[in-house]
Amino acid sequence: MAKLLQKESTHFHLMLLPALVLVLIFQIYPMTGIVLAFKDFVPTKGIMGVWHMPWAGFKYFRFVLDNPESKTILRNTLIISFGKIITMIIFPVVFALMLNEIRLRWFKRTVQTVVYLPHFLSWVVVAGILKDVLSLEGPVNWVLHHWFGVEPQMFLGSNDWFRSIIISTNVWKEFGFSTIIYLAALTNINPSLYEAAEIDGAGRFQKLMHITLPGIAMTIALLATLSLNGVLNAGFDQIFNLYNVLVYDTGDIIDTYVYRSGLMSAQYSVATAIGLLNSVVSFILVVFTYSMAYRFANYRIF
Amino acid sequence: MVQNKSLGSRSFDVVLFIILVLISLLSVAPIIHTLALSLSKASLAMAGQVFLWPKGLTLGSYDKVFADKQFFLSFWVTIKRTFIYTLFSVMATVLMAYPLSRETKQFKSRNVYMWIFVFVMMFNGGLVPTYLTIKSLGLMNNFWVLILPGLVNVYNAILVMNFFRNLPRELDESAGMDGAGAWRKLIQIYLPLSLPVLATITLFNIVGTWNEYFSAMIYVTKSNLIPLQTYLQQVVVTIDPTKITTDNVSQLTSVSDQTLSSAKIAVTMLPILIIYPLLQRYFITGITLGSVKE
């Protein structure tokens, strides 16, 4: 024993023990519960009796794939995530480029502090704020009505508006924080390139097009690639806190559907089957995007 | 840097300034609006008269918030939870990061552990199996259900691990030659040099725990265990679907007591508004130093 404790690797194992135990209990062990997707759930047997429940084969997967509701949910999920992915490339890049043109450091710093702030608020808090701001009597409707003559809109209760609201409020909350990585990339551009361009008589716009943009093109491509692994995740917290029965047709996504069918209506097998499909596809996407990112940009996280 | 200040370039600067000021205002306007509402007279708020400045200044809604017993209970749960979670999570993260930052030569099982942790970061059993596990472990309505399940954060561990790997190897080697073991090296060499990244993950943990509402929503029913965000979710954000008919649809978007709700939102976000600017300068260096390993 004493000899064992002298070995450095023994201490490494000891250090990793707490994390390993927690991961086994709360992340690996629940994976065995995936079997529910292939079983007919018998409530009287309780969850511990899952191994003694009759096999259902792929019944629940067929149910999910044949269910017309699934199409709506998948469509909503994809529209909302692609909307978010595209806007969250354009807005942060444009904003970072604008900030980069600013030479006054205190001004730059202040703007950064202010625009990062919403990122740190929870979607619960933000939803509380937005429900007021977007209400019929709220300031957004007031401005639209008094300045532009638009009739008041029920933004959060309308299928015409809901997805646009989700995508734009996501931009509002996250665009500032997402600029951090682009600003870091911008500071890495070699200043002598700008000096050389100036000597050759390049204007601000030409420098932007020929030095700055190519300088961060790799970062943009990298983040775009990595963002693809989240396409089945349209943002549970945001939608759950902002949606309601009226906008299920356009706002219900995979995660909110799993929550309602699984925990609210206790359709354990159906919800587990959807969850499993979701996890498997997401896992494949993560592995795929990371290997792409590694191959083309030599990016790795560990 | 040489700057040629032509007239066009100068007016471009002015336009840019104005745009950036407008974007900044737009970023905080909804937050300021909520603060203004919380400080306004209820009748004026209901009439839609309040924008960015309170009308009929009063602290009445804050009195009501602090007279609410559940609000106090929830506030206390959140403080306790945030403190304990952050402490344990930072400890677990550091303890994971050091062994994982070693070369495979020094720690043969490193890749096995790394593989397990990365796997659970990318793949999970899903909502229902996780819920049923917590239930079968008897953790429902237990304070620790708010702490333990999310304690291991692999992403943070990788952040710290990459930071450790970028520290000079000679430090580790010379400490080893002086007889320092793994624990002593971690505590006396690595931790003091890693303050930026430690501040970063501490901030992330504090903000993350403070903002977390979901686990209490599904695992907790006892009122003295409901965190502030979950409470806020229940009383301000949730619209009871059974109450929705086409007739009272307009109620959906008009909050019944705007000033009270706004005061609750304000108190819930206040600690974040205070702590975030203080730690901001750390997390930016922390993110850019630790996130990408070249």
Side-chain angles (χ1 to χ4, degrees), chain A residues 204, chain B residues 6-18:
Chain A
R204 269 172 103 156
Chain B
S6 67
L7 189 65
S9 184
R10 243 169 235 228
S11 47
F12 178 76
D13 275 334
V14 173
V15 174
L16 201 60
F17 258 71
I18 295 169

Side-chain angles (χ1 to χ4, degrees), chain A residues 122-135 156 238 241-242, chain B residues 30 33-34 37 229 232-233 235-238 253 255 258 261-262 264-266 269:
Chain A
S122 71
W123 272 115
V124 174
V125 163
V126 172
I129 294 173
L130 290 176
K131 283 199 172 172
D132 185 78
V133 170
L134 296 172
S135 70
L156 294 172
Q238 181 190 13
N241 285 304
L242 285 172
Chain B
H33 171 71
T34 302
L37 268 183
Q229 301 275 350
L232 194 70
Q233 211 276 330
V235 298
V236 176
V237 174
T238 305
T253 42
V255 189
Q258 281 173 312
S261 298
S262 304
K264 284 175 178 164
I265 295 169
M269 67 181 171

Side-chain angles (χ1 to χ4, degrees), chain A residues 142-164:
Chain A
W142 192 93
V143 167
L144 285 177
H145 186 68
H146 286 84
W147 293 4
F148 302 99
V150 182
E151 280 309 301
Q153 299 287 323
M154 228 172 46
F155 292 109
L156 294 172
S158 142
N159 279 312
D160 296 335
W161 281 104
F162 192 73
R163 289 189 197 127
S164 323

Side-chain angles (χ1 to χ4, degrees), chain A:
Chain A
M1 185 70 191
K3 197 160 189 187
L4 199 67
L5 279 176
Q6 274 169 11
K7 278 186 70 177
E8 201 169 38
S9 64
T10 311
H11 295 283
F12 290 156
H13 288 293
L14 279 176
M15 287 174 175
L16 286 163
L17 190 65
L20 190 67
V21 171
L22 285 168
V23 161
L24 281 176
I25 295 173
F26 294 107
Q27 280 167 287
I28 308 274
Y29 175 67
M31 286 177 198
T32 60
I34 287 170
V35 76
L36 255 178
F38 304 95
K39 291 270 190 176
D40 273 320
F41 186 68
V42 185
T44 49
K45 287 189 178 164
I47 186 57
M48 297 311 272
V50 65
W51 294 102
H52 305 293
M53 290 171 195
W55 287 99
F58 286 94
K59 188 170 94 185
Y60 292 109
F61 290 93
R62 274 201 301 275
F63 172 79
V64 170
L65 296 175
D66 293 342
N67 192 351
E69 234 179 341
S70 306
K71 277 204 193 89
T72 313
I73 292 154
L74 187 63
R75 195 179 60 224
N76 292 342
T77 308
L78 292 177
I79 293 175
I80 292 171
S81 347
F82 275 111
K84 284 185 178 180
I85 289 173
I86 293 164
T87 50
M88 287 309 282
I89 294 168
I90 297 171
F91 284 90
V93 169
V94 171
F95 185 69
L97 291 175
M98 290 199 286
L99 264 189
N100 193 48
E101 293 293 319
I102 298 293
R103 297 278 161 249
L104 276 177
R105 292 195 70 183
W106 65 266
F107 181 73
K108 199 171 166 180
R109 192 89 41 90
T110 315
V111 171
Q112 279 177 285
T113 307
V114 168
V115 298
Y116 294 169
L117 179 61
H119 169 80
F120 291 89
L121 302 177
S122 71
W123 272 115
V124 174
V125 163
V126 172
I129 294 173
L130 290 176
K131 283 199 172 172
D132 185 78
V133 170
L134 296 172
S135 70
L136 281 176
E137 299 84 16
V140 171
N141 269 319
W142 192 93
V143 167
L144 285 177
H145 186 68
H146 286 84
W147 293 4
F148 302 99
V150 182
E151 280 309 301
Q153 299 287 323
M154 228 172 46
F155 292 109
L156 294 172
S158 142
N159 279 312
D160 296 335
W161 281 104
F162 192 73
R163 289 189 197 127
S164 323
I165 294 293
I166 289 295
I167 293 166
S168 51
T169 53
N170 181 67
V171 168
W172 173 76
K173 189 171 181 289
E174 305 296 344
F175 85 95
F177 197 73
S178 303
T179 56
I180 292 180
I181 199 91
Y182 296 113
L183 289 172
L186 285 168
T187 57
N188 283 336
I189 299 175
N190 189 349
S192 60
L193 289 176
Y194 290 107
E195 281 159 30
E198 259 167 55
I199 292 164
D200 290 347
R204 269 172 103 156
F205 186 70
Q206 280 171 313
K207 279 189 277 178
L208 174 74
M209 292 308 284
H210 297 292
I211 302 170
T212 316
L213 265 182
I216 59 166
M218 199 61 174
T219 310
I220 299 173
L222 177 64
L223 291 185
T225 310
L226 290 178
S227 66
L228 283 179
N229 65 37
V231 302
L232 290 187
N233 174 9
F236 176 84
D237 288 336
Q238 181 190 13
I239 291 178
F240 179 72
N241 285 304
L242 285 172
Y243 83 159
N244 57 70
V245 173
L246 297 174
V247 288
Y248 280 178
D249 281 347
T250 53
D252 202 12
I253 54 165
I254 297 172
D255 290 334
T256 50
Y257 184 78
V258 168
Y259 171 78
R260 283 205 322 281
S261 62
L263 298 192
M264 295 290 99
S265 335
Q267 293 174 288
Y268 290 147
S269 295
V270 175
T272 311
I274 303 173
L276 180 58
L277 284 173
N278 189 0
S279 299
V280 170
V281 176
S282 298
F283 182 69
I284 294 169
L285 284 169
V286 171
V287 174
F288 176 72
T289 53
Y290 274 119
S291 61
M292 293 276 284
Y294 179 62
R295 194 172 302 168
F296 297 117
N298 205 18
Y299 169 89
R300 50 205 160 111
I301 48 166
F302 55 87

Side-chain angles (χ1 to χ4, degrees), chain B residues 15-32:
Chain B
V15 174
L16 201 60
F17 258 71
I18 295 169
I19 294 175
L20 288 173
V21 169
L22 284 178
I23 292 175
S24 307
L25 282 177
L26 218 57
S27 290
V28 282
I31 299 166
I32 295 172

